[in-house]
């Protein structure tokens, strides 16, 4: 009996899935089967395979629904969280980030060949947890009378994913430990606003997200440092070079220093962020 598709091919299938609910379901199923994959499917040839997209797959990358309408970040209006629509718009923006984060994690699994098995297991876990976050936020949006797709959104996260597609070191440096790490700083401030607005259910959802995101950023930190060590690169010196090369945003305070340190940021890395380098 021939073996089924490799986990990396299944991750690509999930990435190309345009329906958000089905994408989330596929991501969670992949993670739930990860231990079985580790035993039966993580063969050397499966990991080493360089997967090439067909023209149809490239055109469909990444799979996403027709809505939300994507605009530049400057065109996404800022709304007060102290109105129902404004609060829904804020939660929709976070929901969109979590949807993109599913795609980012799945992309790391299929795209980068010949990494240790744990690399793929880590990013399948991230994809599953991002799918959970997306589902929690979408369900809460629906209790407010809205749904995912009802507001415009921007594509900054996936844009950096595209920029770094040919450089795994840059991907680990600039997506999980730069753009996604911004959530560690922003979430407590958003929770304060939602508390004042009286939406304690949303605050509780963000508690779950913040807890998990510390782990996700830690995974990015781990693999960035792993790759730098394996390639004889100075991680501290390289990071600002990558920020400049890929035009990544320089992070601005305030920083959630406790969460960042829990996610593996060193004192030297925090000094760079704080402008003390």
């Amino acid at each position: 009996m021939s073996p089924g598709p490799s986990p990396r091919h299944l991750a690509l299938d999930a990435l190309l899935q345009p329906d958000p609910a089905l994408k989330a379901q596929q991501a969670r199923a992949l993670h739930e089967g990860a231990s079985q994959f580790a035993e039966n499917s993580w063969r050397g040839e499966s990991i080493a395979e360089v997967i090439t997209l067909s023209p149809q797959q490239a055109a469909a990358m990444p799979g996403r629904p027709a809505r939300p309408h994507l605009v530049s970040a400057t065109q996404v209006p800022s709304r007060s969280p102290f109105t129902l629509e404004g609060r829904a718009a804020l939660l929709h923006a976070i929901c969109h980030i979590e949807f993109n984060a599913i795609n980012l994690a799945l992309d790391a699994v299929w795209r980068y060949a010949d990494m240790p098995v744990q690399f793929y297991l880590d990013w399948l876990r991230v994809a599953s947890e991002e799918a959970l976050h997306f589902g929690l936020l979408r369900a809460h949006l629906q209790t407010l009378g809205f749904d995912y797709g009802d507001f415009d959104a921007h594509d900054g996260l996936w844009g950096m994913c595209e920029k770094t597609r040919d450089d795994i070191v840059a991907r680990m440096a600039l997506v999980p430990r730069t753009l996604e790490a911004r959530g560690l700083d922003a979430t407590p401030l958003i929770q304060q606003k939602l508390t004042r607005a009286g939406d304690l259910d949303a605050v509780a959802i963000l508690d779950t997200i913040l807890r998990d995101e510390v782990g996700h950023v830690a995974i990015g930190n781990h693999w960035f440092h792993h790759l730098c060590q394996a390639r004889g690169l100075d991680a501290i010196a390289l990071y600002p070079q990558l920020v400049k090369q890929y035009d990544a945003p320089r992070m601005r305070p305030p920083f959630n220093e406790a969460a960042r340190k829990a996610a593996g940021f060193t004192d030297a890395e925090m000094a760079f962020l704080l402008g003390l380098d």
Side-chain angles (χ1 to χ4, degrees), residues 162-191:
E162 282 287 322
K163 284 184 183 180
T164 59
R165 62 185 180 271
D166 296 323
D167 186 344
I168 187 174
V169 178
R171 171 69 65 84
M172 294 298 109
L174 301 177
V175 174
R177 67 191 304 274
T178 299
L179 297 184
E180 292 186 89
R182 297 173 81 170
L184 304 183
D185 308 319
T187 297
L189 303 177
I190 295 170
Q191 287 180 298

Side-chain angles (χ1 to χ4, degrees), residues 80-99:
S80 168
F82 302 105
T83 67
L84 177 62
E85 185 173 2
R87 184 155 42 98
L90 173 61
L91 293 170
H92 184 277
I94 304 170
C95 190
H96 181 65
I97 289 170
E98 300 302 316
F99 175 78

Side-chain angles (χ1 to χ4, degrees), residues 150-228:
D150 286 351
F151 299 90
D152 289 348
H154 71 82
D155 208 26
L157 267 175
W158 184 258
M160 185 58 71
C161 184
E162 282 287 322
K163 284 184 183 180
T164 59
R165 62 185 180 271
D166 296 323
D167 186 344
I168 187 174
V169 178
R171 171 69 65 84
M172 294 298 109
L174 301 177
V175 174
R177 67 191 304 274
T178 299
L179 297 184
E180 292 186 89
R182 297 173 81 170
L184 304 183
D185 308 319
T187 297
L189 303 177
I190 295 170
Q191 287 180 298
Q192 291 172 16
K193 292 180 181 179
L194 290 171
T195 299
R196 294 200 301 273
D199 195 339
L200 299 185
D201 287 339
V203 172
I205 292 170
L206 292 184
D207 276 336
T208 297
I209 291 174
L210 180 59
R211 178 200 68 204
D212 292 345
E213 293 298 340
V214 169
H216 301 173
V217 175
I219 287 170
N221 264 322
H222 168 78
W223 289 110
F224 174 65
H225 285 283
H226 170 90
L227 287 159
C228 286

Side-chain angles (χ1 to χ4, degrees), residues 15-274:
L15 175 58
L16 293 170
Q17 170 58 249
D19 183 279
L22 292 178
K23 184 190 297 286
Q25 182 180 9
Q26 287 175 252
R28 299 201 71 187
L30 266 170
H31 177 248
E32 288 169 7
S35 60
Q36 177 183 350
F37 287 142
E39 293 174 8
N40 300 324
S41 299
W42 292 117
R43 307 302 184 202
E45 60 271 20
S46 173
I47 292 175
E49 179 188 6
V50 175
I51 301 174
T52 302
L53 298 178
S54 70
Q56 294 79 12
Q57 288 173 321
M61 180 73 72
R64 54 186 163 202
R67 299 173 64 236
H69 177 59
L70 298 178
V71 298
S72 73
T74 58
Q75 291 179 294
V76 178
S78 177
R79 295 182 174 92
S80 168
F82 302 105
T83 67
L84 177 62
E85 185 173 2
R87 184 155 42 98
L90 173 61
L91 293 170
H92 184 277
I94 304 170
C95 190
H96 181 65
I97 289 170
E98 300 302 316
F99 175 78
N100 269 294
I102 303 171
N103 285 337
L104 295 171
L106 293 170
D107 190 82
V109 175
W110 84 263
R111 186 178 296 276
Y112 298 116
D114 214 20
M115 289 293 289
V117 171
Q118 192 59 48
F119 175 88
Y120 304 105
L121 298 179
D122 281 348
W123 290 110
L124 287 177
R125 171 192 146 196
V126 172
S128 177
E129 291 176 351
E130 304 290 16
L132 171 64
H133 302 164
F134 173 79
L136 290 172
L137 287 165
R138 186 180 190 184
H140 188 58
L141 265 178
Q142 290 169 341
T143 70
L144 303 179
F146 297 88
D147 199 358
Y148 179 58
D150 286 351
F151 299 90
D152 289 348
H154 71 82
D155 208 26
L157 267 175
W158 184 258
M160 185 58 71
C161 184
E162 282 287 322
K163 284 184 183 180
T164 59
R165 62 185 180 271
D166 296 323
D167 186 344
I168 187 174
V169 178
R171 171 69 65 84
M172 294 298 109
L174 301 177
V175 174
R177 67 191 304 274
T178 299
L179 297 184
E180 292 186 89
R182 297 173 81 170
L184 304 183
D185 308 319
T187 297
L189 303 177
I190 295 170
Q191 287 180 298
Q192 291 172 16
K193 292 180 181 179
L194 290 171
T195 299
R196 294 200 301 273
D199 195 339
L200 299 185
D201 287 339
V203 172
I205 292 170
L206 292 184
D207 276 336
T208 297
I209 291 174
L210 180 59
R211 178 200 68 204
D212 292 345
E213 293 298 340
V214 169
H216 301 173
V217 175
I219 287 170
N221 264 322
H222 168 78
W223 289 110
F224 174 65
H225 285 283
H226 170 90
L227 287 159
C228 286
Q229 184 176 16
R231 300 182 183 192
L233 303 170
D234 182 334
I236 301 300
L238 178 63
Y239 178 73
Q241 296 171 18
L242 293 172
V243 169
K244 182 177 181 180
Q245 178 181 347
Y246 289 94
D247 194 26
R250 174 75 185 258
M251 300 295 98
R252 303 296 179 191
F255 297 113
N256 186 342
E257 292 189 43
R260 282 180 173 268
K261 287 185 175 180
F265 283 89
T266 66
D267 289 341
E269 288 168 332
M270 289 305 304
F272 170 75
L273 291 173
L274 292 165

